[in-house]
């Protein structure tokens, strides 16, 4: 199982619309609006790293109103 956490910055006021779009993507396990340097935190779990890459690159990063993303990959066997 491959796990990643994605931190997202989006345009002011678009947070809920972005969250709603993210929730519809397969592999998304958790989505939360957060305070601080980022606006949204996502947890993704997929059977392979390749599927993670596809979701992040071709689905999440293509959502309108997202300004930037930071991806943190989980280390298998730790945690």
């Amino acid at each position: 199982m491959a796990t990643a956490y994605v931190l997202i910055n989006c345009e002011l006021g678009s947070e809920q619309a972005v969250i709603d779009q993210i929730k519809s993507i397969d592999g998304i396990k958790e989505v939360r609006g957060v305070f601080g340097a980022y606006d949204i935190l996502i947890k993704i779990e997929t059977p392979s790293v390749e599927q993670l890459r596809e979701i992040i690159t071709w689905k999440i990063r293509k959502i309108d109103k997202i300004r930037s993303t930071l991806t943190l990959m989980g280390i298998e066997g730790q945690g």
Side-chain angles (χ1 to χ4, degrees):
M1 182 69 61
T3 303
Y5 297 89
V6 181
L7 298 166
I8 295 175
N9 279 318
C10 55
E11 292 182 17
L12 184 64
S14 67
E15 296 86 359
Q16 190 59 54
V18 171
I19 288 170
D20 291 342
Q21 290 180 63
I22 291 168
K23 284 181 177 179
S24 69
I25 299 171
D26 288 337
I28 303 298
K29 296 299 176 190
E30 191 171 340
V31 182
R32 301 231 181 240
V34 294
F35 292 112
Y38 292 91
D39 302 310
I40 299 169
L41 169 66
I42 302 170
K43 180 180 181 181
I44 308 169
E45 291 180 353
T46 61
S48 70
V49 173
E50 177 63 25
Q51 287 174 323
L52 271 179
R53 188 185 68 76
E54 292 290 321
I55 291 170
I56 295 164
T57 303
W58 299 111
K59 295 183 180 177
I60 293 171
R61 295 189 67 198
K62 299 292 183 186
I63 294 173
D64 192 36
K65 307 289 184 190
I66 288 181
R67 289 185 177 171
S68 66
T69 63
L70 174 68
T71 301
L72 305 168
M73 295 287 295
I75 299 173
E76 239 177 280
Q78 287 188 358

